[in-house]
Amino acid sequence: MSDEWVSSLSPSQKEVLLVRALAELRKSRDRLNQTPNNSSKPPSSRAPWESTHSDTAAEAPASRVSTAVEADATKPDGAAKPTSAPKASSGKSGAKKTGKQVGAKGFGRTQKLAYTDTTPHHPDSCAGCGLALSHDGAVAYTAWDDIDIAEKVAGQAGLLLQVTRHTLYASTCSCGHVTRAAHHVAPDDPFWDKVALGQWRLVGPRLAGAIVFLALRMRLSRARIREFFIELFDLQLSTGVLDETIRETGRAVAPLEDEMVLDIEQAVLLHADETPWKEAGQPFWLWVFVASFTTLFFVCSRGLEILSNVLTAKFTGNLMTDGYQAYRHLGRRLRCWAHLIRKCQGLIDSTDAKVARAGKGMHEVLCTLMEAIYAARAAQGEPEGVLASRHATDIAHLRALCERHRDDGNDKLRALAREFLLDWDVILRQVSEPQLPLTNNAAEQALRHWVIARRISMGTRSEAGTRAFALLASVIETCRKRSASSWTFIA
């Protein structure tokens, strides 16, 4: 659109062009005005010199919520929904695979540690005839050392490492058959390809628990964990050993998943949310389900399958979520008001005066209802339905605003008006039942730690690593909810 082209237009054509340019300018200005307080932009998108007042909408008086609305640091609006295609490793054709290359020279363990304890392993019976075997005359045929953190002694401060030598013996039976003791190995599991569990391993259970704690709860990289053990314990552990330990620990805690699912199904109140996650560059979603004493994570596609698997017909409690449509088929839902207030704030900040007025009207009604809900909670014992009748005028005003703008030309105003109308009874449940929560803060806060971990690690790199991550995150967060030590529990 050069100056010459604009000059060649007729007055009516210039008027049409001006209207279009003004609409585009409004959209651009609205996009520039988006902040974590009025949109789904994460708090980390804020410039260092900008204000960093609260981005979390805890259940506080509405006067505070209106100026400090919870920011969803977990998923941007309009994010593409990944398909439920099989998880496959990404990578360009012919690209070099990660990790050790075929034919590359290997590295053995060079650090030799003096063992502080010994554990013999003898065969109990002859593998040929079944007679009991005596330990007398048994011959050692192989051994391995494991390193672990010693159990704490009363009055002792700090941690000590111990090295135990496990020796396997072979015994000769009177029938002439030689039977060798074998270390225990768990059966193969199709869900854990290339992740074996057995006694023959370098890292003991308490040391494994510490590695998992440093990697997941402290968000340390493998290199930092190696540095930690070298500096503090003069112990050399390779990156491969650390990674293998985390996956093996994930497999070890896998049986707990069914117990946690059972807790989720029996919850009276459940918070759910999801955030993007990547596995080997493929887009997936990290889901979280938070009950009173249990937190459960899954990594999968953003579809109905996970909800059908976790929230079966056995779940009869209240479910607090955001406005994602995958939840809408579930009964006894609750909607997070912090998300709605943030969307109203986005309309208030619009450069379009009509849109700003509509957003302000919706915002004022929500804040008025929130103050009434908090007052009802403080008063206690107020009959059910009194609050709704007392504020019938405010509710009718909100409904009229939504009906008036359900077909508005502004995309965001139209979307919010239709969202209110589509979920009207669900959104206003707290007005009739003020004891119910108003925000999904429990799920947001449960995800926040792992969102930071995602930014550091860029996700996981294999299906086994993803599964181990979700299981261990579930155990760690559940232990924290129950005021238990995740380190000792995992060990």
Side-chain angles (χ1 to χ4, degrees), residues 358-429:
K360 185 177 180 181
M362 296 177 182
H363 188 278
E364 288 176 348
V365 172
L366 286 179
C367 289
T368 299
L369 294 176
M370 287 181 75
E371 287 181 348
I373 290 171
Y374 292 131
R377 288 182 188 175
Q380 296 182 351
E382 199 170 59
E384 187 174 323
V386 171
L387 202 61
S389 60
R390 186 182 302 160
H391 291 273
T393 304
D394 294 317
I395 295 173
H397 178 55
L398 178 61
R399 181 86 185 196
L401 281 172
C402 295
E403 293 286 0
R404 187 184 311 151
H405 297 289
R406 66 184 307 164
D407 296 316
D408 195 89
N410 183 277
D411 295 342
K412 290 190 175 181
L413 177 56
R414 181 177 66 251
L416 183 56
R418 291 183 177 184
E419 184 175 354
F420 269 110
L421 295 173
L422 183 63
D423 259 352
W424 185 260
D425 293 333
V426 173
I427 291 173
L428 295 180
R429 268 193 69 189

Side-chain angles (χ1 to χ4, degrees), residues 123-128 130-133 179:
D124 295 324
S125 59
C126 176
L131 289 177
L133 294 173
T179 303

Side-chain angles (χ1 to χ4, degrees), residues 233-286:
F233 297 99
D234 193 23
L235 173 64
Q236 297 176 13
L237 297 173
S238 69
T239 300
V241 165
L242 297 176
D243 198 58
E244 183 182 64
T245 298
I246 292 170
R247 296 190 189 196
E248 289 176 351
T249 309
R251 178 178 171 180
V253 303
L256 295 171
E257 187 175 67
D258 290 339
E259 295 183 32
M260 290 187 282
V261 169
L262 183 61
D263 284 347
I264 294 300
E265 289 180 335
Q266 296 174 347
V268 176
L269 173 63
L270 185 65
H271 295 258
D273 202 4
E274 71 286 339
T275 186
W277 189 266
K278 284 191 175 181
E279 177 190 303
Q282 297 296 316
F284 291 96
W285 291 80
L286 174 63

